[in-house]
Amino acid sequence: MAEIILRSLAHSYDGGASWALRDVDLRWRDGGAYALLGPSGCGKTTLLGIISGLLQPTRGQVLYAGKDVTHASSRERNIAQVFQFPVVYDTMTVRDNLAFPLRNRGLPAAEIARRVERIADTLELTPLLPVRATRLTADQKQILSLGRGLVREDVAAILFDEPLTVIDPHRKWLLRRKLKEIHKQFRHTLIYVTHDQTEALTFADEVVVMQDGQVLQRGTPEQLFRRPAHTYVGYFIGSPGMNVLPCARVAGEPARVRLGDATVALAAALPEDHADAGALELGIRPEHIAIEAAPTGLVLTVTAVEDHGRFHIVTGQLAGHRVKLRIGHAVDPVPPAVGAELHVRFPADKLCVYRNHRLLAPAPEEAP
Ligand code: ATP
């Protein structure tokens, strides 16, 4: 296994007219479990292709364990890949499919048998070992495909490109847990591409959020939730995403911002603005907005209420902007009525202030 470093990567498919990736600098620790998360078209597959050696970047370098592999093939990089759709040999049995990557590398028969049995046991494929792959369901084929990716112990990294797309939701959950277990046991470097935040947040120690060919933030699920470095990360992570509202400085009061007619206290003073400073926005998560009995200065008029079983999502208008609240049934099982006016409070320690969509306060944390 190896530490992987991506240095100043950029990629264009059309000779520089547009860029699928721009300014990507990332370090993937040896043995870490990572997710690459972002909407369709943000550059995840392009980045994975560059890491695996299927694509040569237009600019920049790829290093494996300190060695420049930018121009090396996938085979030379010694990585395993699991794709969105299963890659299995239909005419072979499950056992032979699992053994194939090991036979290819010339491992002794006893060692192959040991590893095949171990991975089959972990993925609950043991009863299917003698069965031909053509007789498997789509789910089972993809699990076999995962097994083929995981069976080698000597790989530098295992790359997954949306591997659970074809799996039904319940098995998806089981397989994510299995992948985590396998990771704990074998400490492969895993990079997992997905557009599904639940998949990314439950699988990875660290998540890299991308938009429009760029990395917006890399952090633990908790860091991404608590301190999104960009308004898009706030919006993309969370259900519903973070509320982001235009706000303004209050003259002479650097630890407050103006929201419509009201002012809101921040946990700390904002840094001084430059002359060309851009628009300020205030971010607050729907679960952090508190409803108060007494007036708070912030009034939210309820426009819609949705029951999600364990919580309600309340949508309302506040200072001319749409705001969402998430209220747990345990906190208040009776939701407010449409048309009601609620006094709400934004707790200072839960607020993020953004300038030009970038986190201004609290100050961004250094990536670990
Ligand atoms: P998805 O989740 O839909 O696969 P993605 O995040 O993996 O999306 P990429 O497939 O890497 O994104 O695409 C990034 C950008 O590069 C998109 O604008 C896409 O249209 C473009 N692109 C990807 N592959 C090619 C290609 N082979 N030729 C030209 N443009 C491409």
Side-chain angles (χ1 to χ4, degrees):
M1 279 165 278
E3 176 186 66
I4 299 173
I5 295 177
L6 309 177
R7 209 174 265 164
S8 307
L9 279 188
H11 192 72
S12 172
Y13 288 99
D14 52 16
S18 64
W19 292 89
L21 284 181
R22 289 175 290 155
D23 307 325
V24 174
D25 281 282
L26 281 171
R27 178 174 154 257
W28 316 82
R29 268 192 324 274
D30 186 4
Y34 297 97
L36 260 180
L37 175 69
S40 183
C42 73
K44 305 181 294 294
T45 305
T46 303
L47 188 54
L48 207 63
I50 290 172
I51 297 171
S52 70
L54 291 176
L55 267 181
Q56 302 266 308
T58 310
R59 286 207 293 263
Q61 265 185 320
V62 181
L63 307 178
Y64 276 38
K67 192 171 149 234
D68 188 340
V69 296
T70 317
H71 303 289
S73 68
S74 299
R75 194 173 166 86
E76 287 168 302
R77 293 181 195 196
N78 195 19
I79 44 124
Q81 290 199 78
V82 182
F83 298 95
Q84 190 167 353
F85 297 101
V87 180
V88 298
Y89 296 107
D90 271 344
T91 54
M92 287 186 192
T93 61
V94 169
R95 184 187 298 282
D96 286 340
N97 263 287
L98 289 174
F100 192 83
L102 304 175
R103 287 198 185 120
N104 232 355
R105 301 246 152 196
L107 261 72
E111 178 64 9
I112 294 176
R114 184 188 70 78
R115 290 203 200 167
V116 166
E117 264 148 48
R118 192 208 62 214
I119 204 76
D121 181 48
T122 312
L123 291 174
E124 294 168 20
L125 287 173
T126 307
L128 297 173
L129 281 173
V131 173
R132 278 193 200 287
T134 189
R135 292 185 43 213
L136 303 181
T137 62
D139 264 27
Q140 289 168 333
K141 279 192 184 171
Q142 186 60 336
I143 294 166
L144 175 56
S145 205
L146 278 175
R148 285 166 50 96
L150 294 164
V151 74
R152 283 169 57 201
E153 287 170 4
D154 60 336
V155 288
I158 309 178
L159 312 181
F160 300 91
D161 194 352
E162 310 244 6
L164 303 184
T165 309
V166 295
I167 310 275
D168 81 66
H170 178 64
R171 289 205 87 162
K172 238 184 210 184
W173 183 82
L174 285 175
L175 279 174
R176 271 204 312 264
R177 223 188 47 204
K178 288 265 174 225
L179 277 179
K180 256 199 122 85
E181 272 171 38
I182 293 169
H183 180 248
K184 269 211 186 104
Q185 215 177 333
F186 299 105
R187 287 281 153 199
H188 292 113
T189 307
L190 303 183
I191 302 177
Y192 188 107
V193 162
T194 180
H195 63 273
D196 177 336
Q197 60 158 313
T198 312
E199 238 165 68
L201 299 176
T202 52
F203 166 79
D205 306 328
E206 271 196 301
V207 179
V208 173
V209 184
M210 294 182 66
Q211 185 204 28
D212 204 12
Q214 285 183 299
V215 173
L216 294 182
Q217 187 171 11
R218 167 219 181 122
T220 61
E222 199 251 338
Q223 286 166 337
L224 298 180
F225 184 81
R226 195 167 47 82
R227 203 178 271 214
H230 190 280
T231 50
Y232 186 78
V233 178
Y235 155 79
F236 199 71
I237 306 269
S239 181
M242 187 179 236
N243 296 294
V244 180
L245 309 166
C247 66
R249 282 177 174 273
V250 179
E253 288 195 74
R256 295 189 86 80
V257 288
R258 176 165 301 287
L259 204 58
D261 294 337
T263 67
V264 176
L266 306 172
L270 291 173
E272 289 291 315
D273 266 341
H274 310 293
D276 60 351
L280 276 191
E281 288 168 304
L282 185 67
I284 181 150
R285 294 237 171 242
E287 40 279 87
H288 292 151
I289 299 178
I291 300 175
E292 302 286 333
T296 56
L298 292 176
V299 178
L300 177 132
T301 308
V302 177
T303 55
V305 178
E306 296 160 46
D307 192 349
H308 287 254
R310 284 179 300 124
F311 54 86
H312 285 104
I313 304 288
V314 174
T315 308
Q317 285 286 320
L318 187 151
H321 300 285
R322 198 176 73 156
V323 170
K324 286 189 184 274
L325 281 73
R326 181 170 153 150
I327 309 168
H329 282 192
V331 176
D332 190 353
V334 184
V338 171
E341 294 205 327
L342 306 178
H343 301 288
V344 296
R345 186 169 56 83
F346 289 1
D349 62 336
K350 305 288 190 217
L351 296 174
C352 292
V353 182
Y354 296 89
R355 185 163 58 203
N356 293 331
H357 306 300
R358 299 270 166 195
L359 184 64
L360 185 65
E365 287 168 341
E366 286 297 310

